[in-house]
Amino acid sequence: MDNIGPTISSHGLEKQGFSGVATAHWNYGTSALYTAALGRHEARLGLGGALVVETGVHTGRSAQDKFITRESSSADNIWWGAVNKDIDEQTFDGLLSRMQGLLTGRGVFVPDCWAGAATAPRLGVRVITDRAWHNLSARNMFIQPTADELADFDPQFTIVQAPNFRADPARDGVRSDCFIVVNFARRMVLIGGTHYAGEIKKSVFSIMNYLLPERSIMPMHCSINVGEKGDAAIFFGLSGTGKTTLSADPLRMLIGDDEHGWADDGVFNFEGGCYAKVINLSAEAEPEIHKTTGMYGTVLENVVMDPMTGELDLFDNSLTENTRASYPIEFIPNASETGVAGHPANVVMLTADAFGVLPPISRLSADQAMYHFLSGYTARVAGTDRVVTEPQATFSTCFGAPFMPRHPSVYAKMLGERIAQTGARCWLVNTGWSGGSYGTGSRMKISHTRAMVRAALDGRLAQVAETQDPNFGLLVPDDCPDVPADVLQPRNTWQDKSAYDSTAGDLRGRFEDNFKQFEPYVEESVKKVGIYKAA
């Protein structure tokens, strides 16, 4: 095997069963990866310098093709079921052997990275891939070790990604030709049959979600920013609800846009970059993120580009609604250099309510925060999962069920303890529809949402009178600077008030039905939140 690159780890691929690889390209920088990706015709160069790629049929995560290996060291800790489907060790070994065979005689790219900005809880991650652009995406998303650290880098987890490896379901024991298989005992993830880079990113998140609770650290699917006074704010939410957009606020410093831990001394980012949705992105509404789409070092997935001029069309969804930009976090002007902050003063839960009946902002009690965290209500936005073609109302517990290997009550308990310890204020923010359900109403104006969130974080809403929502018991501010008063009460935005009442009652019933699965794990006061009805 030829080992080439600026820094080659002494813990080579031979120790991991990949001795047949012809060439291992170790820890290349951005320029070398650009040269390789363009020279191998994996990507094209966009106007401004971004690397533009297409991922083929898989333009989002393939949640139904994700498995966890059932083995003795982790089996009792996994929340088995529709989210965490099992696969046996023999099947895992068979897939690994076939992937090793596929990569024999070929060249691979090997970035060694850290997951975790804080020194103590960070995880050493190695990615083995035969695509240069996937290496660059991983390099963007995770944290770069120093040269000294790379020289003796001993990975604690390895991700093997071969996008052109197509599984045979009958032979390989998986659902389709695509698969994402985690093995906690072997400390390895296998990804095949998909070019979508988000599978690498989310595999690391799933690993952290399994490992960190044992160290009393709460893993979170959230973005975080911090104000001038050191007041951190957490934004929970699924894809498309506004985590990246709202946390990229020029008035506050960005800690990270998607994945974090909450430890005894504060919060920290798992990642070194951002993986932002860029469909319909405008320079006026989201200038910081928009600028990254034309920067050297950014990887754009499934963004339509004029082949003659390299000009990008961020409004063209002909390939997918789930267009993505992967870029280093320092591309955002006010990003934190350390990726760490103190305990949050505010916890914001984001939802894109497809029914259009939840208030655009409301204050949550501690019990309500637990209820809505376990519920994880939002609208599944088209394109994030392959099977979704239009927004649908759904519940994804902890705002990230696909990435939670342990039972949701584990994460909810940790959140409740931290809210009690820190006294953080909690908010529910609807970035979804107003004036009617999806198809009738319109999406909430980002300018209004920004104004409401800023007023909540800087304490102005704490001084405002509130009205209790008659359907959900949420405390809704009566007014907010720079936001029309009618917008704050969703019923006022509907022309057909009876239709609003009916739709709100229907959604309340959906909340109640969904929460029954969590009732054995929560206090009576939390259960009562979901059956609130105005007298």
Side-chain angles (χ1 to χ4, degrees), residues 38 60 75 120 157 160 226 261 264 304 329 333 356 361 387 407 420 429 440:
L38 294 171
F157 240 97
V160 185
V226 62
D264 291 339
V304 174
I329 194 169
I361 189 167
V387 297
H407 193 276
V429 173
T440 301

mmCIF file of all heavy atoms in Angstrom, residues 38 60 75 120 157 160 226 261 264 304 329 333 356 361 387 407 420 429 440:
data_model
loop_
_atom_site.group_PDB
_atom_site.id
_atom_site.type_symbol
_atom_site.label_atom_id
_atom_site.label_comp_id
_atom_site.label_asym_id
_atom_site.label_seq_id
_atom_site.Cartn_x
_atom_site.Cartn_y
_atom_site.Cartn_z
ATOM 1 N N LEU A 38 -11.925 17.392 -8.916
ATOM 2 C CA LEU A 38 -12.125 17.891 -10.275
ATOM 3 C C LEU A 38 -11.432 16.996 -11.292
ATOM 4 O O LEU A 38 -11.987 16.715 -12.361
ATOM 5 C CB LEU A 38 -11.614 19.331 -10.379
ATOM 6 C CG LEU A 38 -12.393 20.370 -9.556
ATOM 7 C CD1 LEU A 38 -11.657 21.713 -9.553
ATOM 8 C CD2 LEU A 38 -13.806 20.538 -10.103
ATOM 9 N N GLY A 60 -31.157 12.730 0.071
ATOM 10 C CA GLY A 60 -31.424 12.914 1.493
ATOM 11 C C GLY A 60 -31.092 11.626 2.224
ATOM 12 O O GLY A 60 -30.645 10.629 1.624
ATOM 13 N N ALA A 75 -26.615 -4.050 23.306
ATOM 14 C CA ALA A 75 -27.995 -4.461 23.024
ATOM 15 C C ALA A 75 -28.992 -4.001 24.078
ATOM 16 O O ALA A 75 -30.113 -3.583 23.750
ATOM 17 C CB ALA A 75 -28.071 -5.978 22.859
ATOM 18 N N ALA A 120 -12.048 17.118 26.540
ATOM 19 C CA ALA A 120 -12.335 15.884 27.273
ATOM 20 C C ALA A 120 -13.325 14.958 26.557
ATOM 21 O O ALA A 120 -13.067 13.756 26.441
ATOM 22 C CB ALA A 120 -12.847 16.220 28.665
ATOM 23 N N PHE A 157 -13.500 5.604 16.370
ATOM 24 C CA PHE A 157 -14.580 5.129 15.515
ATOM 25 C C PHE A 157 -14.169 5.348 14.070
ATOM 26 O O PHE A 157 -13.534 6.365 13.747
ATOM 27 C CB PHE A 157 -15.887 5.884 15.801
ATOM 28 C CG PHE A 157 -17.010 4.985 16.258
ATOM 29 C CD1 PHE A 157 -17.282 4.830 17.600
ATOM 30 C CD2 PHE A 157 -17.777 4.280 15.332
ATOM 31 C CE1 PHE A 157 -18.303 4.006 18.039
ATOM 32 C CE2 PHE A 157 -18.797 3.451 15.759
ATOM 33 C CZ PHE A 157 -19.070 3.305 17.114
ATOM 34 N N VAL A 160 -16.616 3.684 7.148
ATOM 35 C CA VAL A 160 -16.224 3.189 5.829
ATOM 36 C C VAL A 160 -17.354 3.516 4.866
ATOM 37 O O VAL A 160 -18.477 3.045 5.039
ATOM 38 C CB VAL A 160 -15.953 1.678 5.842
ATOM 39 C CG1 VAL A 160 -15.433 1.224 4.477
ATOM 40 C CG2 VAL A 160 -14.972 1.306 6.939
ATOM 41 N N VAL A 226 -24.446 32.778 21.155
ATOM 42 C CA VAL A 226 -24.218 33.409 22.464
ATOM 43 C C VAL A 226 -24.136 34.920 22.292
ATOM 44 O O VAL A 226 -23.568 35.419 21.321
ATOM 45 C CB VAL A 226 -22.936 32.842 23.127
ATOM 46 C CG1 VAL A 226 -21.706 33.123 22.300
ATOM 47 C CG2 VAL A 226 -22.766 33.363 24.544
ATOM 48 N N GLY A 261 -23.209 19.217 22.706
ATOM 49 C CA GLY A 261 -23.323 18.544 23.987
ATOM 50 C C GLY A 261 -23.499 19.566 25.091
ATOM 51 O O GLY A 261 -22.995 20.689 25.007
ATOM 52 N N ASP A 264 -21.396 19.483 32.361
ATOM 53 C CA ASP A 264 -21.519 20.117 33.675
ATOM 54 C C ASP A 264 -21.025 21.554 33.677
ATOM 55 O O ASP A 264 -21.446 22.355 34.515
ATOM 56 C CB ASP A 264 -20.738 19.310 34.712
ATOM 57 C CG ASP A 264 -21.368 17.959 35.001
ATOM 58 O OD1 ASP A 264 -22.573 17.804 34.727
ATOM 59 O OD2 ASP A 264 -20.650 17.061 35.484
ATOM 60 N N VAL A 304 -28.387 23.394 -8.524
ATOM 61 C CA VAL A 304 -28.375 23.490 -9.987
ATOM 62 C C VAL A 304 -27.420 24.599 -10.417
ATOM 63 O O VAL A 304 -27.447 25.711 -9.875
ATOM 64 C CB VAL A 304 -29.789 23.748 -10.528
ATOM 65 C CG1 VAL A 304 -29.754 23.995 -12.031
ATOM 66 C CG2 VAL A 304 -30.692 22.559 -10.216
ATOM 67 N N ILE A 329 -17.061 26.332 9.744
ATOM 68 C CA ILE A 329 -17.830 27.284 10.537
ATOM 69 C C ILE A 329 -17.209 28.676 10.502
ATOM 70 O O ILE A 329 -17.908 29.690 10.639
ATOM 71 C CB ILE A 329 -17.985 26.785 11.988
ATOM 72 C CG1 ILE A 329 -19.078 27.591 12.714
ATOM 73 C CG2 ILE A 329 -16.654 26.827 12.731
ATOM 74 C CD1 ILE A 329 -19.475 27.009 14.045
ATOM 75 N N PRO A 333 -19.010 34.960 9.677
ATOM 76 C CA PRO A 333 -18.115 35.987 10.230
ATOM 77 C C PRO A 333 -18.015 36.005 11.745
ATOM 78 O O PRO A 333 -16.947 36.272 12.297
ATOM 79 C CB PRO A 333 -18.713 37.298 9.698
ATOM 80 C CG PRO A 333 -19.477 36.898 8.470
ATOM 81 C CD PRO A 333 -20.002 35.521 8.743
ATOM 82 N N GLY A 356 -50.560 25.293 10.892
ATOM 83 C CA GLY A 356 -50.696 26.733 11.021
ATOM 84 C C GLY A 356 -51.485 27.186 12.227
ATOM 85 O O GLY A 356 -52.097 28.264 12.188
ATOM 86 N N ILE A 361 -44.611 32.443 18.698
ATOM 87 C CA ILE A 361 -43.705 32.312 19.835
ATOM 88 C C ILE A 361 -44.549 32.211 21.101
ATOM 89 O O ILE A 361 -45.606 32.850 21.214
ATOM 90 C CB ILE A 361 -42.717 33.494 19.947
ATOM 91 C CG1 ILE A 361 -41.651 33.184 21.013
ATOM 92 C CG2 ILE A 361 -43.428 34.808 20.236
ATOM 93 C CD1 ILE A 361 -40.460 34.125 20.974
ATOM 94 N N VAL A 387 -38.129 9.534 1.259
ATOM 95 C CA VAL A 387 -39.511 9.112 1.054
ATOM 96 C C VAL A 387 -40.489 10.275 1.147
ATOM 97 O O VAL A 387 -41.666 10.115 0.851
ATOM 98 C CB VAL A 387 -39.902 8.037 2.088
ATOM 99 C CG1 VAL A 387 -39.058 6.804 1.903
ATOM 100 C CG2 VAL A 387 -39.752 8.565 3.516
ATOM 101 N N HIS A 407 -33.303 5.197 24.597
ATOM 102 C CA HIS A 407 -34.704 5.571 24.764
ATOM 103 C C HIS A 407 -34.814 7.084 24.970
ATOM 104 O O HIS A 407 -33.988 7.693 25.649
ATOM 105 C CB HIS A 407 -35.316 4.837 25.967
ATOM 106 C CG HIS A 407 -36.804 4.931 26.018
ATOM 107 N ND1 HIS A 407 -37.456 6.020 26.577
ATOM 108 C CD2 HIS A 407 -37.771 4.091 25.566
ATOM 109 C CE1 HIS A 407 -38.763 5.840 26.465
ATOM 110 N NE2 HIS A 407 -38.989 4.675 25.865
ATOM 111 N N ALA A 420 -33.640 22.661 35.339
ATOM 112 C CA ALA A 420 -33.827 22.908 36.775
ATOM 113 C C ALA A 420 -32.568 23.492 37.403
ATOM 114 O O ALA A 420 -32.637 24.391 38.257
ATOM 115 C CB ALA A 420 -34.217 21.613 37.472
ATOM 116 N N VAL A 429 -41.150 28.155 19.343
ATOM 117 C CA VAL A 429 -41.209 29.086 18.210
ATOM 118 C C VAL A 429 -41.679 28.337 16.970
ATOM 119 O O VAL A 429 -41.075 27.332 16.579
ATOM 120 C CB VAL A 429 -39.834 29.742 17.955
ATOM 121 C CG1 VAL A 429 -39.855 30.566 16.667
ATOM 122 C CG2 VAL A 429 -39.449 30.625 19.134
ATOM 123 N N THR A 440 -52.726 26.536 2.089
ATOM 124 C CA THR A 440 -53.666 27.670 2.173
ATOM 125 C C THR A 440 -52.979 28.890 2.763
ATOM 126 O O THR A 440 -53.042 29.987 2.207
ATOM 127 C CB THR A 440 -54.885 27.298 3.031
ATOM 128 O OG1 THR A 440 -55.545 26.176 2.470
ATOM 129 C CG2 THR A 440 -55.854 28.471 3.105
#
